[in-house]
Amino acid sequence: MISYLEFEKPVAALEARIAELRDTAASGELDIAAEIRRLEAKSAELLTSTYRALTPWQKTQVARHPARPHFKDFVAAAFTDFMPLGGDRLYGEDQAIVGGFATLGERKVMLIGHEKGNDTQSRIRHNFGMGKPEGYRKAVRLMEMAGRFGLPVVTLVDTSGAFPGIEAEERGQAEAIARSTEACLALGVPMVATIVGEGGSGGAVALASAERVLMLEHAVYSVISPEGCASILWRTSEKAPEAAEAMKVTAQDLLALGVIDRIVPEPVGGAHRDLVATAESLGKAISEELDSLVGKDPQTLRALRADRFLRIGA
């Protein structure tokens, strides 16, 4: 069952009506197939027009949709032979950041990303995708391993930000994020990062400092959440829609600013409406970017990363 967002209520009403008519048609009492087809066409048209005109705040809501695909969903739909590798060899295992060997098409890769979970129990287990120091140190370990084996690195970013708790600070959260960012920039193998949901602050940058940065069509990427920005500037989170507009958090804005390199299209209505189609588009886009990077030496790859980030805001 689809969970509808506030701005999708007109679509929800139409689809509820369609469901009622289908139940009536199933009883065989009336022939209302033509009416059902008319309403289905109207619903599809309304959904398309709604998603064509989403505001930055509405896109933020889509990026946070409770049914939006996360790391494990994309692993199952777009990759094969995933072999998870755990632990940072320093403190322990962080389940907010997951990684390991995987195959994309015919290509072996090191796959790393944030996992938010899809129900209450799994969200708690994965800490809502908010990585702790051991998670970022695990990412560094896996990136260094990929460099030794000559495997390209693919990251799927989806976090509201790194975990801000006291225990994370005690274990060196800022240093771990900086080291992970440094490891991305120092890689001697190709790296492609994709923002698949939320890309929040340094917790996202630590896995997204690649020579190719992609975003799903309705993902968002920013230094702080719209609510956090509004709380700072206006002393109220109710101004979050205005903050989202001003911060240029959408894939379309960030492509125009040169912060990302490519937008990966989502099905009409968002990735949560069709995981298979989204995963197919994502896998194809990542493969094409990796194809363009194959054969480049480590020095060239590092220069590409440095150039792309130094150009931002220039």
Side-chain angles (χ1 to χ4, degrees):
M1 181 177 292
I2 297 174
S3 176
Y4 294 94
L5 298 169
E6 182 68 26
F7 64 84
E8 293 178 311
K9 281 187 174 179
V11 177
L14 264 178
E15 294 192 352
R17 177 60 179 157
I18 292 168
E20 291 175 1
L21 290 176
R22 283 177 180 157
D23 289 340
T24 302
S27 68
E29 296 177 1
L30 294 172
D31 183 8
I32 51 176
E35 177 65 10
I36 291 174
R37 287 195 298 272
R38 187 186 70 81
L39 289 179
E40 286 175 337
K42 185 176 180 180
S43 176
E45 182 181 348
L46 180 58
L47 186 67
T48 299
S49 61
T50 297
Y51 270 77
R52 191 183 294 126
L54 291 181
T55 66
W57 177 239
Q58 288 170 337
K59 281 184 176 284
T60 303
Q61 293 175 286
V62 175
R64 296 171 176 173
H65 194 286
R68 190 172 179 84
H70 299 308
F71 180 84
K72 289 187 176 179
D73 300 309
F74 288 119
V75 168
F79 297 83
T80 56
D81 305 321
F82 180 59
M83 181 184 295
L85 301 172
D88 66 346
R89 304 300 188 264
L90 293 169
Y91 179 83
E93 167 68 344
D94 175 24
Q95 295 195 57
I97 296 177
V98 183
F101 298 115
T103 303
L104 176 61
E106 300 297 323
R107 180 184 280 117
K108 299 291 185 181
V109 300
M110 181 65 77
L111 180 62
I112 308 170
H114 300 91
E115 173 57 48
K116 286 185 172 181
N118 53 18
D119 56 30
T120 301
Q121 186 176 1
S122 63
R123 284 168 185 150
I124 292 172
R125 183 169 69 253
H126 292 288
N127 200 34
F128 299 87
M130 295 186 292
K132 295 179 181 178
E134 50 271 26
Y136 291 103
R137 289 177 180 132
K138 173 173 64 178
V140 171
R141 182 173 76 83
L142 298 186
M143 283 188 268
E144 291 176 346
M145 184 183 296
R148 289 196 296 274
F149 288 124
L151 295 176
V153 174
V154 173
T155 62
L156 305 180
V157 178
D158 188 9
T159 181
S160 58
F163 183 62
I166 292 175
E167 64 267 37
E169 297 298 333
E170 289 174 341
R171 297 198 294 274
Q173 182 72 293
E175 186 267 353
I177 290 172
R179 293 290 183 190
S180 184
T181 306
E182 179 185 42
C184 292
L185 296 171
L187 270 174
V189 293
M191 181 177 182
V192 176
T194 304
I195 316 300
V196 296
E198 287 185 278
S201 193
V205 172
L207 296 186
S209 297
E211 62 269 32
R212 296 288 187 273
V213 181
L214 320 181
M215 278 183 75
L216 287 186
E217 183 180 358
H218 301 307
V220 293
Y221 192 20
S222 62
V223 70
I224 191 173
S225 69
E227 297 93 330
C229 176
S231 295
I232 293 171
L233 295 181
W234 292 289
R235 300 292 190 271
T236 173
S237 61
E238 293 181 0
K239 291 284 189 177
E242 289 87 340
E245 182 75 39
M247 291 164 63
K248 307 297 183 186
V249 300
T250 70
Q252 294 72 22
D253 286 330
L254 295 171
L255 181 65
L257 292 169
V259 176
I260 66 168
D261 303 294
R262 179 172 178 174
I263 297 174
V264 180
E266 296 184 29
V268 175
H272 57 281
R273 287 178 178 265
D274 193 337
L275 167 61
V276 173
T278 306
E280 183 179 343
S281 295
L282 178 63
K284 180 180 178 182
I286 293 173
S287 293
E288 289 174 354
E289 297 298 338
L290 288 175
D291 287 341
S292 71
L293 297 170
V294 168
K296 289 183 168 53
D297 60 82
Q299 185 175 354
T300 300
L301 292 170
R302 294 182 188 111
L304 283 172
R305 290 182 205 119
D307 289 345
R308 81 168 310 283
F309 286 103
L310 290 173
R311 283 198 310 269
I312 297 173

